[in-house]
Amino acid sequence: MSTATLNAGNWVDQKKFLWLLGAPVMLLPIIGYALFELTGLGLFWWFSPLFVYGIVPLADYLIGEDTSNPPESVVPRLEKERYYRYATYLAVPLQYVSLVWGCWAVATLDLAWWAYLGAAISVGMVSGLAINTGHELGHKTDGFEQWLAKIALASSWYGHFFVEHNRGHHVRVATPEDPASSRMGESFYAFLPRTVIGSLRSAWEIEAKRLQRNGHSVWSIHNNNLQAWSMSLVLFVGLTAYFGWIALPFLIIQAVYGFSLLEVVNYLEHYGLRREKLESGRYERCQPRHSWNSNHTVTNLLLYQLQRHSDHHANPTRSYQALRHFDEAPQLPSGYASMIVLAYIPQLWFRVMDPKVVAHHGGDLTKASLQPGKEAALMARYHQA
């Protein structure tokens, strides 16, 4: 663990009010529309991806990393302070402001196809960011926060993430059984259908077993997946009925882009990492070394410190404000915003990340998770032990 901490008696959260930045980011499409009205420049219909893939990486580069950790003695106080939870609550209604605005824009304004698509992608990015909000809220045990998590996931039709992430991914992370853990040599475009289908199947199976244990039918109101999908259905039907059929393609495009944004983040979080299977047949406990970490300040502020993924998986009950940097955790070369762009270009991704996987495993690729069919080529090229 990093020793970059302060004495507990003098420690204050210097970023306390900066955590609120995760909420106004949900209004990026509306900010882009305002800039379009001011300038007449059509590129502002694409403001969300321009901001996330352009401005955020630049800010990460200029401001740099923060490896400091809160002293353990103040963590109980941090966990109890409701302010940090309220900061995440605020993002959810703003997410829906952008969604409804987007439906209004495509239904009311005479948009060219590229502006329509830009509005859908911009709002879809908000829906993708909202999955991260749902991720933080979904880890809580409070019933209100769990419902708020489902509401945050509704716009992307990814409500089953609430089940699969907590009771599937966290159990099987960095193992061959986990559809959300990518393999060395696997491109994002090969990973995407595998994780979407695998996660959906896993969520259904997990919930079916839980309901069977509790004496309920899988088709009952108690099914968390059905609850979440029903919310999405009501939302999409209601918005289409109000704004007209022209809003439906917009809603579908933004939902698909939104959940693909989640999955590209999943892709980079565990790439090539694998937990060892013990003699007992069980996998070793998840450690910080089984997740890629990043301490780039700006992206961490916007994503409620999701990039401190190593601590999140090793200690999933920790809230975002208390997550720690570990020196032994593998480090991404930059923040998520720029790593996503890299993942979209497989050859660049492999060139940057494959040597890092090799270095993390000390040259021994028998410890890495390798893409089936590419094991021989990867071993011949990189194996050093």
Side-chain angles (χ1 to χ4, degrees), residues 85-216:
R85 293 190 178 188
Y86 296 152
T88 59
Y89 297 175
L90 181 60
V92 179
L94 296 185
Q95 161 198 352
Y96 278 88
V97 169
S98 282
L99 182 69
V100 173
W101 167 86
C103 290
W104 168 84
V106 300
T108 306
L109 306 176
D110 185 18
L111 299 182
W113 69 267
W114 53 266
Y116 184 107
L117 181 61
I121 296 298
S122 285
V123 173
M125 181 157 279
V126 167
S127 290
L129 293 171
I131 297 178
N132 180 56
T133 308
H135 164 258
E136 180 64 29
L137 293 167
H139 273 289
K140 302 296 183 290
T141 57
D142 180 84
F144 170 74
E145 290 176 319
Q146 291 188 352
W147 273 103
L148 205 57
K150 293 175 185 177
I151 293 171
L153 297 169
S155 65
S156 58
W157 270 89
Y158 234 54
H160 58 282
F161 174 82
F162 174 83
V163 173
E164 157 57 20
H165 179 79
N166 293 334
R167 291 187 278 141
H169 178 58
H170 268 272
V171 174
R172 300 177 302 214
V173 63
T175 72
E177 289 79 20
D178 181 33
S181 293
S182 60
R183 305 151 178 164
M184 182 180 180
E186 181 180 29
S187 73
F188 168 64
Y189 303 104
F191 172 76
L192 182 60
R194 180 171 75 84
T195 187
V196 170
I197 297 169
S199 296
L200 181 62
R201 182 185 297 120
S202 173
W204 187 259
E205 292 172 351
I206 289 169
E207 195 65 357
K209 290 177 182 177
R210 182 187 71 85
L211 291 167
Q212 185 179 35
R213 288 195 305 269
N214 294 334
H216 298 299

Side-chain angles (χ1 to χ4, degrees), residues 28 57 79 84 112 161 180 188 196 237 305:
L28 283 175
E79 292 279 0
Y84 293 99
F161 174 82
F188 168 64
V196 170
V237 169
Q305 231 159 208

Side-chain angles (χ1 to χ4, degrees), residues 103 106-107 116 236-252:
C103 290
V106 300
Y116 184 107
F236 276 44
V237 169
L239 289 172
T240 302
Y242 188 84
F243 290 103
W245 286 106
I246 194 171
L248 185 57
F250 164 84
L251 288 167
I252 294 172

